[in-house]
């Protein structure tokens, strides 16, 4: 068995996270350094670095997870539009070696709520705001 990745430790609950939703094969939680409010990571419970290494069941379920996360974020952020990004391997900018889709709600410029840090802002994440948002998203 490979060493557990950071995201496997999060899925197991060994490291805390702000959960958004969960399925049998996937787990979704708020990114601690959100590019925009609601920035969520959707990860397979199966540990793999690239989507090509995932089992068929796991990669299919992952798309269900993305859609479920979008459903919750659309209620909270009143939008139907999202950036859905995958860095599939280190040369593509992947920092955590465990498949993760970034799901980021998009709204017209100037209407974003707070809870995101501009690029380059290295202050600590606001964990209480993340926890409050996660609680609302779990209820949607
Ligand atoms: P990537 O650059 O595509 O590998 O994205 C990794 C993402 O994981 C970054 O957006 C980080 O902010 C995020 N991240 C790292 N550690 C944690 C953590 N403990 N909880 C939530 N998100 C994290």
């Amino acid at each position: 068995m490979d060493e557990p990745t950071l995201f496997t430790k999060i899925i197991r609950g060994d490291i805390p996270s702000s959960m958004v939703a969960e399925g049998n094969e996937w787990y979704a939680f708020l990114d601690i350094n959100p590019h925009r409010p609601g920035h969520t990571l959707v990860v397979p419970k199966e540990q793999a670095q690239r989507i090509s290494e995932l089992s068929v069941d796991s990669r299919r379920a992952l798309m269900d997870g993305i859609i479920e996360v979008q459903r919750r974020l659309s209620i909270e952020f009143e939008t139907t539009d999202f950036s859905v990004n995958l860095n599939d391997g280190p040369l593509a900018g992947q920092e955590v070696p465990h498949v993760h889709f970034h799901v980021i709600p998009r709204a017209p410029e100037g209407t974003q709520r707070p809870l995101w840090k501009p690029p380059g802002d290295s202050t600590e994440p606001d964990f209480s705001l993340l926890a409050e948002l996660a609680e609302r998203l779990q209820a949607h």
Side-chain angles (χ1 to χ4, degrees):
M1 173 74 188
D2 293 337
E3 275 292 295
T5 62
L6 170 65
F7 292 163
T8 293
K9 291 178 187 163
I10 284 178
I11 292 161
R12 290 179 182 166
D14 296 340
I15 290 178
S17 66
S18 302
M19 184 179 95
V20 171
E22 181 175 24
N24 287 337
E25 314 246 19
W26 55 271
Y27 184 75
F29 55 102
L30 293 173
D31 194 301
I32 49 168
N33 286 307
H35 294 183
R36 289 174 186 272
H39 182 168
T40 299
L41 301 176
V42 186
V43 307
K45 291 184 178 177
E46 180 186 356
Q47 181 171 306
Q49 182 163 15
R50 297 179 185 78
I51 48 173
S52 61
E53 296 160 9
L54 286 171
S55 66
V56 173
D57 283 350
S58 187
R59 67 189 192 225
R60 287 187 179 152
L62 206 47
M63 189 56 72
D64 293 339
I66 291 167
I67 301 295
E68 174 57 18
V69 164
Q70 287 188 336
R71 188 189 68 73
R72 290 169 191 248
L73 291 171
S74 14
I75 297 168
E76 181 67 24
F77 293 96
E78 297 172 334
T79 186
T80 52
D81 295 2
F82 297 88
S83 296
V84 179
N85 303 326
L86 170 76
N87 298 324
D88 202 25
L91 294 180
Q94 185 187 51
E95 287 171 7
V96 180
H98 186 134
V99 173
H100 52 284
F101 279 88
H102 298 257
V103 181
I104 304 171
R106 305 303 299 262
E109 290 305 324
T111 65
Q112 295 279 359
R113 301 183 202 173
L115 186 63
W116 74 287
K117 299 189 299 172
D121 180 339
S122 59
T123 54
E124 277 291 295
D126 189 331
F127 290 107
S128 64
L129 275 180
L130 289 173
E132 279 170 29
L133 174 59
E135 201 173 317
R136 287 201 301 280
L137 290 168
Q138 283 172 37
H140 288 325

